[in-house]
Amino acid sequence: MLPRIGISVGDLAGIGPEIIYKTFLDQRLLKFCTPVVYGTATVLFDDFPADATHEPLTFRQVREAADIAPGKHNAVTCWDEDFTLTPGQPSQASGAAARQSLLAAARDLKAGLLDALVTAPISKENTQADDFRYPGHTEFLTAFFESKESLMLLASEDLRVATVTGHIPLKDVPSRVTRELLTTKLRILVDSLKQDFGIEKPRVAVLGLNPHAGEKGLLGTEEADVVTPILQQFQEEGHLVYGPFPADGYFGTGQFRQFDATLSLYHDQGLIPFKTLAFERGVNFTAGLPVIRTSPDHGTAYGLAGQYKADETSFREALYMACDLVRKRKALAEIKPLIPGPAPRGGRHE
């Protein structure tokens, strides 16, 4: 069965609907997945120009995900009210539509009606409401799926960068980077590289917090007090983890190419080099969840909205990755029951 990929539309005043529309103009994608867009197709796509090089894009509008048709473009109705949208100008209506789309898709993902979720960009400020107090998709989905922790992991063909802390003020980073949190995030990263990316013995680099990774305590002690002891613990367990590396030289010299993934300690430390090196093809994957969620690595791009100039490449890559992860996790689930466990103490396998 083709993977059923749910798609939340993001802020309608941004480029979310456009990159979704441009992606699915390529009818060949229906050979890889069954797309399920959460929103009313007429509101989302009617204003886009006709494309002489592709077949017309049509969606089956349904009320419930249980009624989707395999191998077709599907849209699940999330709102009935009419509202006026101005490209590039977020409004209360566009924020509400983004919330409704995301909540409906997340509920169906939890219910098993979807195999994965790809999220178009939201405005963190414009999406806030009494029933939605989250700084981003990652935090919402972590809470919704009742995970203790998750990990923001940016990935492209040859570069993977994760972050220990996410959407928090920079002044709060040092106090949040504790031994416990670093251990949790590093373990999620190692496990995801094995499970989701098929790397049997991943090599992971961890960055330092301070300039020059603290310069042996001269510029800060977080590396010696927090990072190094955790790396030693993981190495004693047999993991290939190294660091802490000064972030500037690590990326500037191309040292990141020696590793399967890099763990940065705060948001911009990892995302600035990642987006510099892989912006067009980068994908944001939320590791550590019991479900699969990916997204493009960019924001709402209000300045481009309404001009039909947005590049859909990152969204398309997010869709590809979601499909690939669905297949890998299903294959792993089928293999696990076939792997014999250790014989009971005092006995043997028959």
Side-chain angles (χ1 to χ4, degrees):
M1 185 173 69
L2 292 173
R4 300 159 298 177
I5 309 297
I7 298 161
S8 61
V9 298
D11 195 311
L12 303 188
I15 63 171
E18 180 183 333
I19 58 178
I20 295 170
Y21 180 81
K22 286 181 174 178
T23 294
F24 289 110
L25 280 174
D26 189 342
Q27 300 285 334
R28 292 174 298 179
L29 288 173
L30 293 177
K31 297 179 180 179
F32 297 96
C33 69
T34 296
V36 187
V37 176
Y38 280 77
T40 305
T42 54
V43 173
L44 294 169
F45 308 123
D46 271 6
D47 291 336
F48 294 125
D51 190 326
T53 62
H54 296 91
E55 295 180 21
L57 183 60
T58 58
F59 283 79
R60 294 182 67 259
Q61 192 74 49
V62 298
R63 284 284 175 180
E64 299 179 354
D67 297 327
I68 65 175
K72 302 290 185 181
H73 297 114
N74 299 271
V76 175
T77 300
C78 296
W79 57 79
D80 292 311
E81 65 274 17
D82 293 327
F83 48 84
T84 301
L85 294 169
T86 303
Q89 297 183 22
S91 64
Q92 185 176 358
S94 69
R99 288 194 304 275
Q100 291 165 4
S101 175
L102 176 60
L103 289 168
R107 285 193 293 266
D108 285 348
L109 183 61
K110 180 177 278 191
L113 298 173
L114 303 171
D115 297 303
L117 173 63
V118 181
T119 59
I122 60 173
S123 162
K124 295 172 178 57
E125 178 183 1
N126 193 43
T127 311
Q128 298 302 306
D130 291 340
D131 61 346
F132 194 96
R133 296 294 181 187
Y134 302 96
H137 284 110
T138 301
E139 293 81 2
F140 163 71
L141 293 169
T142 302
F144 189 83
F145 287 97
E146 301 175 352
S147 295
K148 291 183 179 180
E149 283 288 352
S150 63
L151 181 74
M152 181 186 296
L153 174 57
L154 282 295
S156 67
E157 293 177 354
D158 58 355
L159 177 63
R160 302 180 189 91
V161 178
T163 66
V164 173
T165 58
H167 301 116
I168 64 172
L170 186 58
K171 64 181 178 60
D172 296 337
V173 169
S175 62
R176 291 286 294 275
V177 181
T178 62
R179 290 191 183 189
E180 180 181 9
L181 183 63
L182 180 57
T183 298
T184 298
K185 299 289 188 175
L186 188 52
R187 205 167 294 284
I188 291 174
L189 178 56
V190 171
D191 289 346
S192 182
L193 291 171
K194 293 178 179 180
Q195 171 182 277
D196 298 314
F197 296 92
I199 304 171
E200 185 175 350
K201 195 74 171 178
R203 291 172 54 86
V204 177
V206 179
L207 303 181
L209 177 68
N210 299 293
H212 303 281
E215 200 71 78
K216 296 183 178 180
L218 180 65
L219 303 178
T221 62
E222 286 84 1
E223 288 77 14
D225 295 342
V226 178
V227 181
T228 298
I230 297 305
L231 297 185
Q232 291 173 344
Q233 173 190 326
F234 272 75
Q235 290 165 0
E236 290 170 359
E237 295 174 5
H239 298 292
L240 304 179
V241 297
Y242 305 93
F245 295 101
D248 55 350
Y250 175 81
F251 286 106
T253 62
Q255 192 174 10
F256 65 88
R257 296 187 179 90
Q258 301 173 19
F259 298 92
D260 297 302
T262 303
L263 184 62
S264 64
L265 299 191
Y266 57 94
H267 184 279
D268 283 12
Q269 184 187 50
L271 269 66
I272 288 174
F274 181 87
K275 291 187 177 184
T276 300
L277 295 166
F279 185 72
E280 290 184 352
R281 306 187 69 84
V283 176
N284 181 6
F285 167 55
T286 306
L289 297 181
V291 296
I292 295 166
R293 175 261 172 165
T294 65
S295 74
D297 70 347
H298 56 72
T300 54
Y302 290 127
L304 282 176
Q307 301 176 47
Y308 207 66
K309 296 180 180 178
D311 187 338
E312 74 277 15
T313 304
S314 182
F315 183 87
R316 185 186 297 114
E317 292 296 322
L319 181 72
Y320 286 152
M321 180 179 287
C323 294
D324 190 43
L325 292 175
V326 169
R327 288 191 291 269
K328 285 181 177 178
R329 288 198 181 184
K330 284 185 176 180
L332 186 63
E334 292 172 356
I335 291 173
K336 276 187 175 180
L338 303 177
I339 301 176
R345 184 170 297 178
R348 61 183 178 85
H349 285 299
E350 297 296 333

